Amino acid sequence: EWQTTYQRCQCQRTTFRHEDNGWRSLKNLCLAYLNAVDDPIAVELAQVQYQKADNMTDQAGALSALRDRQGAIRDHLYEDFAQRWQKEALVMDKWFALHAASLRSDTLSRTEALLQHPCFSLKNPNKARAVLGSFGRNLLHFHAADGSGYRFLAKKVLEIDQFNPQVASRLVSLFNRWTRLEPQRQQLMKQELTTIVQQPGLSRDVFEIVSKSLEATH
């Protein structure tokens, strides 16, 4: 049914109509659901859509559908996209965000590698939010049971706080719901918050957010 709906959403018109936005949105949703199962046909559909796309919505939609996939096709398309759009900062932000939001088992290591990418700068607020903000909203990897996601983001918050407290304070807000987690993750997240708040030279922006978050237990 998803595949049938996907095919129905293909727009073959030569002139743009506003309702085409809705068809493209539904088509990309179908493609994402198709790629949620282990089916090579779904991967092929995403590959064809990417290669034939004449608009950013369809091209990015194909990458989004393949976001959690393993395999050479997925990696090739992601690399091709970066090569095509490396000079377009806002487009690359989409690419960075997809990597950091992935559910793949290697997401943390790939996210760490993104920080060394030629198109990335930690001092660029948009880039920091694209990578670190997306990772902080990645429920699987930010909340990894071993606390690795918390340690990674806390370290970067402290680093950014040295030159941009406003961005650092927004990122550290991703820790604010720690009291709603189960005891193990609560303890791991609280540990990172405590490390942050005790850091010498911490900005007022970050200190206020973290100290108020820690007071939630008192």
Side-chain angles (χ1 to χ4, degrees):
E1 290 179 359
W2 285 111
Q3 190 170 348
T4 300
T5 305
Y6 176 80
Q7 298 297 342
R8 288 180 56 202
C9 291
Q10 300 285 359
C11 298
Q12 303 295 335
R13 290 180 284 275
T14 56
T15 57
F16 175 76
R17 300 189 304 177
H18 287 293
E19 55 264 36
D20 291 344
N21 285 333
W23 285 111
R24 286 175 181 164
S25 179
L26 178 57
K27 177 175 66 175
N28 287 325
L29 178 66
C30 292
L31 190 62
Y33 275 119
L34 288 168
N35 274 279
V37 296
D38 187 15
D39 186 345
I41 294 177
V43 177
E44 183 179 352
L45 288 174
Q47 182 181 20
V48 171
Q49 175 172 308
Y50 177 89
Q51 293 170 338
K52 292 185 176 182
D54 59 1
N55 61 85
M56 181 58 65
T57 301
D58 279 352
Q59 199 170 74
L63 292 189
S64 181
L66 295 173
R67 186 193 69 180
D68 303 330
R69 285 278 194 180
Q70 301 280 354
I73 292 176
R74 185 265 195 194
D75 292 344
H76 170 71
L77 295 183
Y78 267 70
E79 182 61 28
D80 181 78
F81 187 89
Q83 290 294 324
R84 288 191 188 192
W85 301 104
Q86 57 185 316
K87 295 184 179 180
E88 299 292 335
L90 295 180
V91 177
M92 286 301 292
D93 287 347
K94 296 177 181 292
W95 184 82
F96 282 125
L98 284 172
H99 275 291
S102 175
L103 302 183
R104 286 171 45 142
S105 60
D106 60 352
T107 292
L108 177 56
S109 62
R110 283 178 173 258
T111 301
E112 292 173 324
L114 290 177
L115 304 183
Q116 307 303 320
H117 193 279
C119 294
F120 181 83
S121 171
L122 198 62
K123 294 187 176 182
N124 182 312
N126 288 336
K127 293 289 183 288
R129 284 191 288 266
V131 174
L132 300 177
S134 296
F135 182 83
R137 290 185 291 274
N138 186 328
L139 297 181
L140 178 63
H141 291 295
F142 178 54
H143 296 287
D146 63 355
S148 56
Y150 303 149
R151 290 192 296 272
F152 168 69
L153 192 59
K155 180 180 178 181
K156 292 306 167 184
V157 165
L158 289 174
E159 189 174 339
I160 294 172
D161 192 48
Q162 299 301 307
F163 53 83
N164 196 328
Q166 289 75 31
V167 172
S169 63
R170 290 185 180 183
L171 291 174
V172 83
S173 297
L174 293 166
F175 287 83
N176 281 353
R177 295 187 176 183
W178 68 275
T179 57
R180 301 184 183 182
L181 303 177
E182 91 292 341
Q184 178 184 346
R185 286 181 172 83
Q186 276 192 21
Q187 185 59 35
L188 289 169
M189 191 176 278
K190 183 179 180 180
Q191 181 177 324
E192 297 305 323
L193 288 171
T194 302
T195 298
I196 291 172
V197 81
Q198 293 175 348
Q199 187 73 13
L202 191 68
S203 71
R204 177 183 298 178
D205 305 68
V206 173
F207 177 82
E208 288 183 354
I209 289 176
V210 176
S211 58
K212 287 181 180 178
S213 182
L214 289 172
E215 287 173 2
T217 60
H218 300 305

